[in-house]
């Protein structure tokens, strides 16, 4: 199959040739004909599957072939994204695909001045990429009208809900013309997503290109157990040992990002960080420098790094595990993209065992553990497996007071380390079922 057989017009084929895209990815093969035929779409596709081109190429074609010229302060297509970085990235891809077409594209998001955006919208744009909050601001200030809108794309819809944008999405829904084409992309289909789709989509075609909630198989994943306080030291050790050249590192909090960047920079390591407290221009600069290899280590929170496409990223390190298990899939999806192989290493301390268990359950695999000599944790990380069980090691038995009886080795079942000596009365707690992490809407920051 080729892009030409999918029915794309020559100016798009020429742009794809320049970009070196030869064969459509599975999501593109399914989405392009359906969108060209005017269908609504509900697509389960992770980042890295080529989903952006999957919606952007047919969208550009329809806008070129059909519909009136864009009016002042209007947009003919709207692509909603959860974060500023993703909006910029999607916009850059759309602009590349549209390079031979007479269409205008623009991206708007918060964290930067609204006035230049209002000025730019005066003439109208064919394709507007936007984050939900700024879109509403522009609409309320009459800088944008949506009555000419032909197509709405919800990109990373699950993430928009995770970030607490459900109210904004409901508001935007009320601003839209009833007659339109709507395309929804989401890494996973939760109940909330299905509800949103039920409201926004009209008889959608459902496509799923990767098994639900299963991380990309091209990524080699493993866990290094370590005590929490020794994580920075272990990171530096692994980095030097593995001669890491370009690493995206995830930390749980903004403070965690700053502390690790300070520590690395203090050691003369070329590191930078991105998180929600940093001004947009600083975030974008750090990202650009990382992409161009001017920065070796980029430390990020989940919010800042979601959906970023960095070509050939060989390694992702989870300095902290994510609180929401599904974020693990998004994080490691930064590597092993478009058929390349990648590695994802997680530094896990005893406190994080429930998160590890939730990730293993979600991805239906038990992550391999690799102890690093000299970094074996004092606080042991209990055993976990893909069934969601955390297996507590029995406490060390007290020495028997009297001689005879109870001191020998006993087999207490598969969860007992072979070197353990069982107490006379085994103190093993029953295997505990771990609660699955709440993946519902989070509070907006
Ligand atoms: P996405 O999932 O949209 O973020 O795309 C992931 C990466 O795959 C991007 O760097 C795209 O440029 C690239 N890509 C998308 N489609 C193709 C294709 N058909 N052939 C080669 N690379 C592609």
């Amino acid at each position: 199959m080729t892009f030409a057989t999918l029915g794309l017009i020559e100016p798009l084929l020429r742009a794809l040739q320049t970009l070196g895209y030869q064969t459509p990815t599975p999501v593109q093969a399914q989405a392009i004909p359906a969108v060209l035929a005017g269908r609504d779409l509900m697509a389960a596709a992770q980042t890295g599957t080529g989903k952006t081109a999957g919606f952007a190429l047919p969208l550009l074609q329809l806008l070129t072939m059909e519909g009136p010229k864009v009016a002042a302060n209007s947009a003919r297509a709207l692509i909603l994204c959860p974060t500023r970085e993703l909006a910029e990235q999607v916009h850059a891809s759309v602009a590349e695909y549209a390079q031979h077409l007479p269409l205008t594209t623009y991206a708007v998001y918060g964290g930067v001045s609204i006035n230049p955006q209002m000025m730019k919208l005066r003439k109208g744009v064919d394709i507007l990429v936007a984050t939900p909050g700024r879109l509403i601001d522009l609409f309320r200030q009459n800088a944008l009208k949506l009555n000419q809108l032909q197509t709405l794309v919800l990109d990373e819809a699950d993430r928009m809900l995770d970030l607490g944008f459900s109210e904004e999405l409901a508001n935007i829904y009320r601003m839209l013309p009833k007659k339109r084409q709507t395309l929804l992309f989401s890494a996973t289909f939760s109940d909330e997503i299905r509800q949103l789709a039920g409201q926004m989509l009209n008889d959608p075609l459902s496509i799923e290109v990767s098994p639900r909630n299963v991380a990309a198989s091209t990524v080699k994943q493993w866990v290094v157990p370590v005590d929490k306080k020794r994580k920075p030291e272990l990171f530096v050790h692994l980095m030097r040992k593995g001669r890491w050249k370009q690493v995206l590192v995830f930390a749980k909090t903004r403070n965690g990002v700053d502390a690790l960047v300070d520590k690395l920079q203090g050691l003369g390591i070329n590191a930078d960080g991105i998180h929600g407290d940093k001004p947009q221009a600083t975030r974008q600069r750090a990202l650009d420098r990382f992409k161009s290899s001017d920065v070796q280590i980029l430390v990020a929170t989940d919010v800042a790094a979601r959906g970023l496409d960095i070509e050939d990223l060989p390694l992702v390190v989870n300095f902290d595990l994510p609180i929401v298990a599904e974020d693990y899939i998004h994080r490691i999806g930064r590597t092993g993209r478009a058929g390349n192989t990648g590695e994802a290493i997680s530094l896990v301390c005893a406190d994080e065992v429930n998160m590890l268990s939730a990730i293993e359950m979600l991805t239906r695999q038990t992550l391999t553990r690799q102890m690093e000599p000299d970094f074996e944790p004092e606080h042991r990380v209990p055993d976990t497996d893909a069934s969601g069980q955390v297996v507590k090691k029995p406490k060390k038995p007290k020495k028997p007071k009297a001689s005879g009886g109870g001191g020998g080795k006993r087999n207490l079942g598969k969860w007992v380390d072979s070197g353990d000596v069982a107490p006379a009365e085994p103190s093993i707690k029953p295997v505990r079922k771990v609660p699955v992490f709440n993946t519902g809407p989070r509070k907006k920051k």
Side-chain angles (χ1 to χ4, degrees):
M1 189 191 299
T2 63
F3 285 105
T5 55
L6 292 177
L8 292 179
I9 53 178
E10 192 276 333
L12 287 172
L13 296 176
R14 215 169 352 131
L16 294 176
Q17 202 167 13
T18 317
L19 291 169
Y21 292 14
Q22 283 167 358
T23 319
T25 65
V27 68
Q28 291 162 2
Q30 293 182 63
I32 292 171
V35 178
L36 287 177
R39 290 285 305 260
D40 278 9
L41 208 66
M42 176 161 176
Q46 306 176 57
T47 40
T49 55
K51 67 183 168 71
T52 315
F55 65 74
L57 294 169
L59 175 63
L60 290 167
Q61 180 152 332
L62 291 179
L63 291 171
T64 307
M65 314 290 282
E66 297 169 8
K69 205 171 161 300
V70 70
N73 292 104
S74 296
R76 295 170 64 207
L78 172 64
I79 304 172
L80 282 178
C81 298
T83 64
R84 304 159 190 177
E85 279 81 5
L86 192 62
E88 271 298 346
Q89 185 178 293
V90 168
H91 173 249
S93 299
V94 171
E96 277 184 326
Y97 305 142
Q99 58 187 281
H100 304 299
L101 295 173
L103 297 172
T104 49
T105 69
Y106 189 50
V108 294
Y109 39 77
V112 293
S113 168
I114 198 167
N115 290 335
Q117 298 178 350
M118 293 171 96
M119 298 274 284
K120 181 82 188 183
L121 286 173
R122 276 191 192 160
K123 281 191 182 159
V125 289
D126 290 295
I127 300 155
L128 184 64
V129 188
T131 52
R134 181 52 60 96
L135 181 89
I136 292 174
D137 285 350
L138 287 162
F139 184 84
R140 292 202 172 134
Q141 297 192 40
N142 292 323
L144 179 68
K145 288 178 274 184
L146 292 174
N147 42 353
Q148 242 197 346
L149 196 84
Q150 288 173 225
T151 311
L152 168 72
V153 182
L154 298 162
D155 193 16
E156 309 231 348
D158 52 340
R159 190 59 172 183
M160 287 198 265
L161 295 185
D162 279 353
L163 292 175
F165 284 132
S166 54
E167 211 172 295
E168 281 85 349
L169 291 180
N171 283 333
I172 292 169
Y173 174 66
R174 286 193 283 275
M175 292 156 26
L176 299 171
K178 288 241 161 8
K179 190 171 171 301
R180 57 163 202 279
Q181 186 178 22
T182 308
L183 317 174
L184 182 149
F185 286 77
S186 184
T188 52
F189 284 166
S190 62
D191 291 345
E192 288 85 0
I193 288 291
R194 288 178 195 281
Q195 207 179 332
L196 181 75
Q199 189 182 31
M200 293 236 189
L201 305 181
N202 174 26
D203 183 27
L205 179 77
S206 226
I207 60 179
E208 193 159 354
V209 291
S210 47
R212 193 180 167 190
N213 293 343
V214 175
S217 57
T218 46
V219 182
K220 189 175 160 220
Q221 306 160 56
W222 76 91
V223 162
V224 187
V226 63
D227 282 332
K228 193 181 199 162
K229 61 178 190 301
R230 295 198 68 198
K231 279 191 181 187
E233 202 186 330
L234 173 63
F235 179 85
V236 174
H237 166 80
L238 291 174
M239 188 189 130
R240 291 192 168 138
K241 187 174 143 189
R243 303 202 173 143
W244 294 345
K245 292 204 169 57
Q246 194 194 22
V247 195
L248 180 60
V249 186
F250 286 94
K252 197 163 50 191
T253 62
R254 297 164 187 197
N255 285 344
V257 169
D258 289 340
L260 183 60
V261 170
D262 283 352
K263 160 110 189 159
L264 296 175
Q265 287 178 344
L267 291 168
I269 295 166
N270 188 355
D272 207 342
I274 52 173
H275 57 63
D277 273 351
K278 297 203 175 203
Q280 182 55 29
T282 315
R283 282 162 67 168
Q284 195 62 45
R285 195 168 52 242
L287 185 63
D288 290 343
R289 292 186 64 223
F290 181 62
K291 283 185 176 183
S292 63
S293 301
D294 290 336
V295 162
Q296 186 186 359
I297 312 275
L298 186 67
V299 190
T301 54
D302 288 292
V303 172
R306 173 66 188 254
L308 300 181
D309 177 41
I310 301 159
E311 234 168 278
D312 294 334
L313 187 61
L315 177 62
V316 166
V317 173
N318 293 310
F319 187 81
D320 302 310
L321 286 184
I323 295 168
V324 177
E326 284 179 359
D327 281 344
Y328 177 82
I329 297 175
H330 300 307
R331 287 179 176 192
I332 73 162
R334 311 297 102 233
T335 180
R337 310 197 84 181
N340 291 325
T341 53
E343 283 180 294
I345 307 174
S346 302
L347 314 188
V348 178
C349 66
D351 287 359
E352 293 173 305
V353 67
N354 284 356
M355 298 175 200
L356 178 62
S357 172
I359 289 164
E360 292 182 335
M361 222 167 124
L362 182 74
T363 58
R364 301 186 204 121
Q365 61 183 337
T366 306
L367 292 170
T368 310
R369 296 186 183 201
Q370 212 160 295
M371 241 8 131
E372 189 60 30
D374 298 331
F375 286 91
E376 294 90 349
E378 281 173 23
H379 303 281
R380 186 179 167 274
V381 182
D383 291 341
T384 49
D385 65 34
S387 69
Q389 294 180 334
V390 174
V391 183
K392 298 264 186 203
K393 195 179 171 187
K395 287 195 177 110
K396 275 247 156 51
K398 285 181 190 143
K399 281 222 169 95
K401 279 179 192 150
S403 63
K409 282 193 180 187
R410 264 167 58 174
N411 180 9
L412 294 171
K414 71 180 170 81
W415 56 82
V416 179
D417 287 354
S418 57
D420 287 326
V421 177
E425 275 306 311
S427 66
I428 295 176
K429 295 196 183 81
V431 172
R432 191 158 60 89
K433 223 18 191 174
V434 178
V436 181
F437 278 72
N438 175 21
T439 53
R442 274 187 265 168
K443 276 203 185 115
K444 202 176 152 190
K445 301 214 172 95

